[in-house]
Amino acid sequence: MRNGRLLILTLMSFIAVCSCKSQYELLLEGADNDAKYAAAFDYFNKAKYTKASALFESLAAITTGTERDDTVQFYWGLSNYSNKDYVTAESNFDHFLSVFPRSTFAEQAEYLKVDCLYKATLRYELDQTPTYKAISAIGEYIVQHPDGVNAIMCQHMLEDLGNRLDRKAYENARIYYVMEDYKAARVALKNVLKDDADNVYREDILYYAAMSSYKYADMSIPSKQKERFLVFIDDYYNFIGEYPDSDYRKGLDVLYNKVKDK
């Protein structure tokens, strides 16, 4: 009798659990692939990208070799991309392009892969390895699709990433100035321009190089000051020759007038 009651309770619990499952869960676990396919697009179109991604992923193994194959694989990546899961989406698109290089979705997948790499890059203060990877991929895309609809957007990406690398190089050199190691600061700042004369922070770099040479000379023993102030004067003329109307000039003029006759 007791065993019979236990069996009934177990069956009732199982039925209750099943009845609590949502339509989505039943679709995901079920074998009705046509219904699953239609639901995946329905969730995607309603911007429910997590559910869409799970359904497309579930379909991916089943539709291999069928006419739906590239569509499912592409929209699986697009669902993750739309959900801002750029790492997973980049992997999706990379796989897609290796399997379906001639698909009608191929060029869009190439661009979205590039955009995933771009969006996964880090702030200038952090490791820039992802930035270099993105720059390489973006450059390849532009070479392959110079007149593509996304070429201009890719140029903007390259400009932004280039500026980020410029900022990192500039800030890494300027840290010596902040630490009051003015001799090292000037060397580091000059090296930035030696490596990249077109650094977008060139004006700031030349300014801090001049300020470093001035402060290094000013802190030197008297017997070394004259020689070291000549370095500052040289930096001063280099700066005003390139940026005569700079906001920095007024401060540099004051320092120059202070030491020019020493």
Side-chain angles (χ1 to χ4, degrees):
M1 186 71 172
R2 184 175 296 176
N3 289 339
R5 286 181 180 177
L6 183 60
L7 178 62
I8 291 171
L9 288 172
T10 301
L11 288 171
M12 289 178 65
S13 298
F14 177 76
I15 292 169
V17 168
C18 290
S19 65
C20 288
K21 285 189 176 181
S22 65
Q23 182 181 5
Y24 163 75
E25 290 172 317
L26 292 172
L27 272 170
L28 186 61
E29 296 171 6
D32 189 341
N33 296 327
D34 288 335
K36 191 178 294 189
Y37 186 81
F41 279 101
D42 186 50
Y43 282 121
F44 180 87
N45 292 328
K46 291 177 179 176
K48 296 180 178 180
Y49 301 120
T50 300
K51 290 183 176 181
S53 173
L55 288 169
F56 283 123
E57 182 179 6
S58 175
L59 286 164
I62 299 166
T63 57
T64 299
T66 71
E67 61 181 12
R68 291 177 173 177
D69 197 358
D70 66 332
T71 302
V72 167
Q73 294 281 352
F74 176 75
Y75 274 92
W76 179 16
L78 190 58
S79 296
N80 287 321
Y81 174 88
S82 301
N83 205 33
K84 299 182 179 181
D85 182 357
Y86 301 120
V87 174
T88 304
E90 190 268 328
S91 179
N92 288 142
F93 292 129
D94 186 61
H95 173 74
F96 176 89
L97 290 166
S98 69
V99 178
F100 309 105
R102 295 179 178 82
S103 167
T104 55
F105 299 115
E107 184 174 348
Q108 189 177 359
E110 285 183 71
Y111 171 72
L112 291 172
K113 176 187 172 182
V114 161
D115 197 37
C116 285
L117 291 170
Y118 171 71
K119 287 182 165 66
T121 56
L122 306 173
R123 302 191 313 272
Y124 79 87
E125 308 100 300
L126 303 176
D127 177 33
Q128 291 303 299
T129 300
T131 298
Y132 288 109
K133 183 179 179 181
I135 287 173
S136 177
I138 294 166
E140 289 179 13
Y141 178 87
I142 292 174
V143 169
Q144 293 172 10
H145 307 284
D147 301 316
V149 294
N150 298 305
I152 293 176
M153 183 61 70
C154 285
Q155 291 289 357
H156 290 319
M157 290 180 192
L158 284 180
E159 182 179 352
D160 176 56
L161 296 177
N163 290 350
R164 195 177 307 177
L165 293 177
D166 284 357
R167 176 76 181 275
K168 186 174 184 68
Y170 160 57
E171 295 290 358
N172 282 351
R174 196 174 74 90
I175 194 66
Y176 293 105
Y177 182 88
V178 175
M179 294 168 61
E180 300 183 359
D181 187 349
Y182 299 118
K183 183 179 181 180
R186 183 178 185 274
V187 171
L189 290 160
K190 290 288 188 178
N191 282 339
V192 171
L193 295 182
K194 184 178 180 181
D195 293 337
D196 178 17
D198 297 322
N199 188 295
V200 295
Y201 294 93
R202 183 178 179 88
E203 180 180 351
D204 302 272
I205 291 168
L206 289 174
Y207 167 73
Y208 280 105
M211 288 298 298
S212 295
S213 58
Y214 173 83
K215 292 192 174 188
Y216 180 59
D218 192 51
M219 294 172 60
S220 298
I221 59 175
S223 62
K224 295 285 189 180
Q225 283 188 328
K226 183 175 181 179
E227 175 188 352
R228 290 172 182 175
F229 277 129
L230 287 174
V231 176
F232 162 70
I233 290 171
D234 186 53
D235 287 344
Y236 167 80
Y237 279 123
N238 284 338
F239 182 86
I240 66 171
E242 288 197 40
Y243 302 102
D245 301 318
S246 171
D247 291 339
Y248 289 132
R249 177 161 185 178
K250 185 176 180 180
L252 289 177
D253 284 345
V254 171
L255 299 179
Y256 169 75
N257 290 326
K258 182 178 177 181
V259 305
K260 65 179 180 178
D261 297 323
K262 284 191 175 184

